[in-house]
Amino acid sequence: MTAFSGGATPVTPIDTGPHGGAGYGLSHEARNLHWLLTDVVEEVPGVRSVAVVSSDGLLLLSSDPEGQRVGGSLSEGLRHSTADLATIVAGLGSLTTGAAALMDGGTVKQTMVAMEEGSLFVMTISDGSLLGVHTAPDCDMSVVAYHMALFVGRAGHVLTPELRRELRQSVEAVR
C-alpha cells in the first residue's frame, strides 16, 4: 500500500479485466498518462483531486472517479467527485478563455483560484484539454505548478483524438 501525501486519493485503475492488472485493455499511451497522473497525486503534498478534461469538457482522466470526502472546517462532511472537478475546470477554462479574448490577452496558460479551504489550479494542455488540480490550503503552490507543468509537457504531445476517445470510453466504463 502506498502512502499518499496530504490525504490525496490514488488514481483508480480502470477495468482490471478478467486477467487482472491495472489498465487491462488500454494502450501503452493511456497507461502512461495514468501513470503520470498517479505521479502528480503521489508526489505532491496537499493534492486532493486531479482531473484531465477534454477541450469539449469531457472527463478523460481522474484521481478518483467515485468521489472523495473533503476535510476542513467549512467543508467537513461534504462530498465531491472528480466529475464535479471536471465540470468546474471546463467552466473555468471557458470563462478564462473568453476573458482573454475580450482583453486581447492571447492564450490562457494557467489559472489559479485561492480559497479559504483550498486552491484550484487549471493548466492548458497543448491540444486544448485542461489539467485541473484541487489542493489543500497549505500546499506549496510552486510544487503544484511544477508538477502540473511536467504533466502538461509530457502529456500534450500524446493526447491525440484517438487517445482522448479511448480515455473517455474508459471513464464511462468505470461508471
Side-chain angles (χ1 to χ4, degrees), residues 28 31 73 77 100 120 124 143 146 148 174:
H28 172 74
R31 289 190 311 272
S73 59
L120 173 62
T124 303
V143 172
Y146 173 76
M148 288 178 72
V174 171

Side-chain angles (χ1 to χ4, degrees), residues 1-63:
M1 174 151 201
T2 306
F4 295 99
S5 306
T9 53
V11 174
T12 303
I14 345 202
D15 181 25
T16 56
H19 305 293
Y24 171 79
L26 292 178
S27 67
H28 172 74
E29 292 82 8
R31 289 190 311 272
N32 191 36
L33 285 179
H34 277 275
W35 176 82
L36 288 172
L37 192 72
T38 299
D39 189 52
V40 171
V41 172
E42 291 180 355
E43 297 298 320
V44 183
V47 169
R48 289 181 172 163
S49 57
V50 181
V52 175
V53 181
S54 67
S55 59
D56 55 357
L58 299 174
L59 180 63
L60 299 177
L61 286 170
S62 71
S63 61

Side-chain angles (χ1 to χ4, degrees), residues 149-168:
L150 284 178
F151 180 91
V152 166
R154 293 174 179 160
H157 68 282
V158 297
L159 270 173
T160 62
E162 295 79 19
L163 183 55
R164 287 192 302 271
R165 188 175 322 106
E166 177 184 358
L167 292 169
R168 181 64 194 153

Side-chain angles (χ1 to χ4, degrees), residues 41-150:
V41 172
E42 291 180 355
E43 297 298 320
V44 183
V47 169
R48 289 181 172 163
S49 57
V50 181
V52 175
V53 181
S54 67
S55 59
D56 55 357
L58 299 174
L59 180 63
L60 299 177
L61 286 170
S62 71
S63 61
D64 182 21
E66 298 303 319
Q68 70 179 45
R69 283 211 168 285
V70 179
S73 59
L74 293 179
S75 58
E76 194 63 46
L78 294 179
R79 186 174 170 92
H80 81 276
S81 69
T82 49
D84 297 332
L85 177 61
T87 301
I88 294 165
V89 167
L92 191 56
S94 178
L95 179 65
T96 55
T97 298
L102 285 172
M103 297 177 186
D104 294 324
T107 304
V108 176
K109 295 180 181 182
Q110 60 188 2
T111 304
M112 190 259 187
V113 178
M115 301 169 282
E116 189 174 307
E117 295 297 324
S119 297
L120 173 62
F121 299 85
V122 179
M123 195 171 282
T124 303
I125 300 174
S126 65
D127 72 331
S129 298
L130 301 166
L131 171 63
V133 177
H134 176 222
T135 68
D138 59 348
C139 76
D140 184 335
M141 291 183 226
S142 62
V143 172
V144 174
Y146 173 76
H147 280 273
M148 288 178 72
L150 284 178

